[in-house]
Amino acid sequence: DPTCDGTGGSTTWTSSSRTVSQSCKDSHSGCTKTSYSKTFSSSAKTGTIEISDNVGNKNSCSVNVYVDKTAPSVSLSCSEVDYNDPAGYQSCSVSCSDSHSGTSSKGICKSSSSSSCTPSMGKSSVGYYANKDWGLCGKCVDSAGNSKSKCR
């Protein structure tokens, strides 16, 4: 039977499709090819490449893929309004989740002049005044570089 020679792929996340190669060894009949490649275009951490020898025996090789094409999810949440404060103070935060490569950074911002703003990355909470501020936005970026923003 053919054997997988080494491990193919990469352990660095990407948001692009990745082509992975796998070498084959067979000391009896020889492999039909010395190297097999496969392009992975869906989100996956690992995958398989099938190799074969010259008499029809096959083997599946596990390879590292590390492709994440899905943006993380973004959630904005605020504490209840402090009605003792005339401006209606709230503490607001951004949270992220990513089921593939994981979240690498997040940010949040508020605006008193429009419904959107550019989140300050590395900041996860902000004081927000319900009676003065207009916009609240959060942004999440995953380890493959996919990003998603949400404003309210």
Side-chain angles (χ1 to χ4, degrees):
D1 286 357
T3 58
C4 306
D5 188 22
T7 56
S10 174
T11 56
T12 302
W13 285 101
T14 183
S15 59
S16 301
S17 296
R18 173 172 276 149
T19 300
V20 178
S21 297
Q22 177 65 57
S23 299
C24 176
K25 274 192 177 179
D26 186 280
S27 58
H28 301 291
S29 67
C31 296
T32 56
K33 295 191 276 185
T34 55
S35 183
Y36 294 77
S37 3
K38 182 176 180 181
T39 300
F40 295 89
S41 53
S42 300
S43 295
K45 187 173 183 180
T46 60
T48 58
I49 296 177
E50 189 173 272
I51 60 174
S52 60
D53 65 16
N54 288 315
V55 293
N57 297 312
K58 297 179 190 290
N59 192 6
S60 289
C61 307
S62 181
V63 294
N64 292 318
V65 176
Y66 283 70
V67 170
D68 181 356
K69 294 198 169 200
T70 307
S73 63
V74 183
S75 178
L76 294 168
S77 61
C78 296
S79 63
E80 288 198 29
V81 174
D82 178 359
Y83 290 106
N84 293 324
D85 181 342
Y89 179 80
Q90 296 175 278
S91 174
C92 298
S93 62
V94 60
S95 58
C96 310
S97 65
D98 186 88
S99 60
H100 298 289
S101 63
T103 303
S104 70
S105 62
K106 60 184 172 181
I108 192 168
C109 63
K110 66 177 180 175
S111 172
S112 57
S113 60
S114 72
S115 60
S116 67
C117 54
T118 302
S120 176
M121 299 309 287
K123 190 173 189 175
S124 60
S125 64
V126 67
Y128 183 82
Y129 295 93
N131 297 334
K132 290 178 16 181
D133 295 324
W134 288 23
L136 179 69
C137 297
K139 180 178 181 179
C140 298
V141 181
D142 68 20
S143 296
N146 300 304
S147 65
K148 187 171 186 181
S149 296
K150 180 179 186 177
C151 295
R152 62 167 214 171

